[in-house]
Every structure is written in structure tokens, then in C-alpha cells.
Amino acid sequence: MAPTDRNLSVVTTGKDDLLLEDRDIPLPGKDEVQIAMQRVGICGSDVHFKKHGGIGDYKVKSPIILGHESSGIVSAVGTNVKHLKVGDRVAIEPGIPCRKCKFCKEGRYNLCPNCFFLACPPDDGSLRRYHCHAADFCFKLPDNVSSDEGALMEPLSVAIHACRRAGLTLGDKVLVLGAGPIGLVCLLTSKAMGAAKVAITDIQDDRLKVANELGASACIKIDESDPKKMAEKVHTTLGWKPDITIECSGVESSFQMGIYATETGGVFQMVGHGNPIKSFPQFVANTREIDIRGTQRYANTYPTALSMIANGLVDVKPLITHRFPLKESVEAFNAAETCKDNAIKVMIHCDE
């Protein structure tokens, strides 16, 4: 696809606004590729940056281009790039580390303090017609993997990293809290990695219906009234206690309920953010030796995600409920933000 004179880009100032701007078409550096973007999924973080101006310590202080769940077609290559060529379809891993710090050298480059991450202030994202990216963080898609699936390798990577951090092994019983996009890919990934049972909770019936269709062992509707009673409801409904609880909602009451629900000696795996300061039943976690573990995006997951999709171990396509062209990104974000018509994953097509 030959470059045009337009690079339509989706921009926010973090003041609950969304702007469509024509930006310059970037040229690739010697170790980069230029990508004609095809698909970009809207992530909850995109919505937070647009609506609230930040997540935790990440604040929008100047206009940024949104989007990081993405795939496209290589349209130009830098002089040092040998493993990709013009016309290759690729999935884009959005974090580019410094490659020099101790975390990078240990293989935990997701913790790199100098990491460039798409659409994380102050860095621009990929929700535009053309984007340049480090070639070694672009993964060629085989013919049987669609551009939609290429974009969804990013949330799938979040789930893979979370399950690895939790130490999930064959036969584990898993409880996923929150049936949004990340909760649903955690459900799929837990099953693919050998969990014996995977239950999921949410406050919305329509999301639990999707979880049931994706193969959840049990789907439990909860509320935010009393976390301890909700944990008892989970135990009664399931007839078992989870070895691993994966919290994907970021809601404080869910966080608390998950600790009450987790089996003694089990793992409570944090994924969702929400309020950056939370209270939790520390006495329960302490005396029952429940390990509380954090996640920061992912590292070394894209090859695994690609293999899982290419070999049919997970099917992420049912997560896509809405599609919009790039020029209708305002409407797309409205659908994602309001969960219009039971929206789960909203996908933007950049290749009209």
C-alpha cells in the first residue's frame, strides 16, 4: 500500500475529547518499518486517557494519538531490516524497551523504566493510517491469522502474562473477576493452559452470557454490596475454592471479594487497575498466605500468543462486537465507553 498525503490520526488532550487530525506520514528509521495500519482495537486504557486524562501515574499532559492493540501491512522498511518486507502483514507489540537496563537484560523488559509504550503518555499510539515501529517488535502473521486476530494478540498477551505470573498449571481451578475483554481472554488463556475449571463473575448478564459461550465452567452474577458475602456466594455456587483468582475489573469491592474467595495458600493475581489506592482484607491474605501478585503489561508473550491463535488453541474473534471505520472513531469510542449494544471489543478499521 503506497503512502498518501494524509495520515488521519485519532488524538485526545485528556479532557474528554477526541480529535481527528491529519498528521505527517512518518518515515522509518534504519531499524524500523512503516506500517499501513489495518486494525486497532479500543482498550479500556484508551477510554481512560480520553475521558479521565490518565491512569494512576500516567497522565495526559499534551495531545497524544491513541491506540495500541494493532496490526497492519508493512509499507516501507529501514535499511537494517532484513526479516520483514513491504507487503508483510504484522502484529505490533506496542512496548519498545531501552534494551540496556537490568530489567531488559533479565528479560523482564516490561519493567524497563525507559520503555516507550504506544498511547501511554507522553508517547503517541497507532490509531492512524501510518505508523512507524521498531521492526523487532513487529511479528509477521501467517496466512491463517487475520488482521483482527493480529490486533487482539495484545490483550491476549496481557492474559498470557497474568497466567504465567500466577503460576497457572494443569488442573488448577481458576476464578476470573470481571467479564470484560481482558477477563474473557484470561478465561480463554486459563483453559488453553490447562486449568481444570474456570469460573467468571460480572455484574452484567450480557457479558456473562458471552463468557458462557466461550466455555466458562460457571458464570456468576455479583454486586458490590458486601464482598465477604459475595465470596460466600461464589463458594456456594461453585462448590470449590479457586487456587488462582485473576482480578480484571479494577473495582475495589471485587478486589476484596477475590481475596476472601481465594483458597488458602492460593494466588490472587491483579490485572485491573481502577482506583490506584485500595483497601483490602490484609489479615485474611496474611494469615491464609494468599500471594498477591502484580502485572505490568507483558514480556516475551507475542510468539506464544501468535502460536496459540495460529494453532487454534484460542479463538479471540468472538470478542469483537463492533466495527467502525477510522473516520468514525468518535462513534467507536462512544460505543466502547458506554458499552452500547453490549459492546465488548470495538475494532477500528484504518484501511478504508
Side-chain angles (χ1 to χ4, degrees):
M1 183 181 295
T4 68
D5 59 351
R6 300 181 67 241
N7 190 20
L8 191 63
S9 306
V10 179
V11 177
T12 185
T13 64
K15 299 177 181 178
D16 201 12
D17 61 354
L18 211 61
L19 311 172
L20 297 179
E21 296 182 357
D22 281 335
R23 297 286 187 93
D24 292 336
I25 295 175
L27 297 176
K30 62 182 181 180
D31 297 310
E32 295 181 329
V33 290
Q34 181 194 72
I35 301 167
M37 301 304 302
Q38 287 196 300
R39 302 288 185 270
V40 178
I42 297 179
C43 175
S45 65
D46 293 314
V47 174
H48 271 282
F49 289 136
K50 175 255 182 186
K51 185 175 180 61
H52 304 293
I55 301 174
D57 292 336
Y58 303 120
K59 305 294 185 183
V60 179
K61 297 180 180 179
S62 60
I64 63 166
I65 299 172
L66 293 171
H68 62 268
E69 301 178 359
S70 44
S71 65
I73 300 174
V74 175
S75 49
V77 298
T79 55
N80 289 348
V81 177
K82 306 301 180 186
H83 70 290
L84 294 172
K85 65 182 185 302
V86 172
D88 284 344
R89 295 184 310 118
V90 295
I92 301 170
E93 181 173 352
I96 305 172
C98 74
R99 303 177 175 87
K100 297 177 181 179
C101 70
K102 73 169 186 174
F103 298 109
C104 287
K105 291 179 178 179
E106 292 171 353
R108 303 181 72 186
Y109 59 84
N110 56 315
L111 302 179
C112 172
N114 300 308
C115 182
F116 171 99
F117 193 87
L118 297 184
C120 184
D123 303 326
D124 280 330
S126 56
L127 190 46
R128 43 182 160 175
R129 294 201 190 279
Y130 291 94
H131 166 68
C132 287
H133 204 73
D136 57 332
F137 280 82
C138 295
F139 295 83
K140 185 176 178 179
L141 300 178
D143 292 340
N144 69 325
V145 176
S146 68
S147 297
D148 286 339
E149 292 169 309
L152 291 178
M153 280 173 54
E154 198 280 338
L156 180 58
S157 285
V158 172
I160 293 169
H161 186 62
C163 289
R164 286 176 175 174
R165 287 280 295 153
L168 195 155
T169 58
L170 287 169
D172 279 339
K173 297 186 289 293
V174 178
L175 174 64
V176 178
L177 305 181
I182 294 299
L184 294 174
V185 288
C186 284
L187 161 66
L188 293 172
T189 302
S190 296
K191 287 168 60 66
M193 291 178 67
K197 297 179 180 180
V198 187
I200 194 165
T201 68
D202 205 275
I203 62 174
Q204 296 183 30
D205 289 321
D206 56 284
R207 295 200 165 189
L208 292 175
K209 180 180 178 181
V210 174
N212 182 63
E213 293 169 353
L214 292 176
S217 303
C219 300
I220 305 170
K221 187 173 183 179
I222 60 171
D223 58 49
E224 302 176 29
S225 59
D226 187 323
K228 194 171 184 178
K229 287 185 178 179
M230 286 298 102
E232 293 170 354
K233 176 181 178 180
V234 168
H235 293 158
T236 300
T237 303
L238 297 179
W240 49 267
K241 296 181 180 180
D243 305 301
I244 295 170
T245 298
I246 305 176
E247 207 298 305
C248 299
S249 74
V251 177
E252 184 170 288
S253 59
S254 177
F255 187 100
Q256 295 168 348
M257 187 267 282
I259 292 176
Y260 284 122
T262 304
E263 177 66 285
T264 296
V267 174
F268 180 81
Q269 181 63 58
M270 300 181 291
V271 179
H273 287 288
N275 189 335
I277 305 295
K278 293 181 174 66
S279 63
F280 72 100
Q282 184 266 343
F283 182 81
V284 172
N286 193 28
T287 58
R288 289 170 48 198
E289 292 195 356
I290 295 171
D291 289 348
I292 301 175
R293 301 179 184 175
T295 56
Q296 170 68 344
R297 301 179 185 130
Y298 37 77
N300 306 301
T301 54
Y302 262 64
T304 301
L306 181 54
S307 178
M308 291 172 72
I309 291 174
N311 291 289
L313 296 178
V314 297
D315 182 7
V316 293
K317 296 189 295 293
L319 300 181
I320 303 173
T321 55
H322 292 64
R323 299 175 183 275
F324 292 85
L326 182 62
K327 63 186 178 183
E328 295 180 11
S329 291
V330 173
E331 293 83 353
F333 269 78
N334 180 62
E337 186 176 326
T338 62
C339 297
K340 182 180 180 182
D341 299 325
N342 301 328
I344 295 177
K345 177 57 64 178
V346 178
M347 189 68 70
I348 295 179
H349 292 224
C350 301
D351 57 346
E352 306 132 281

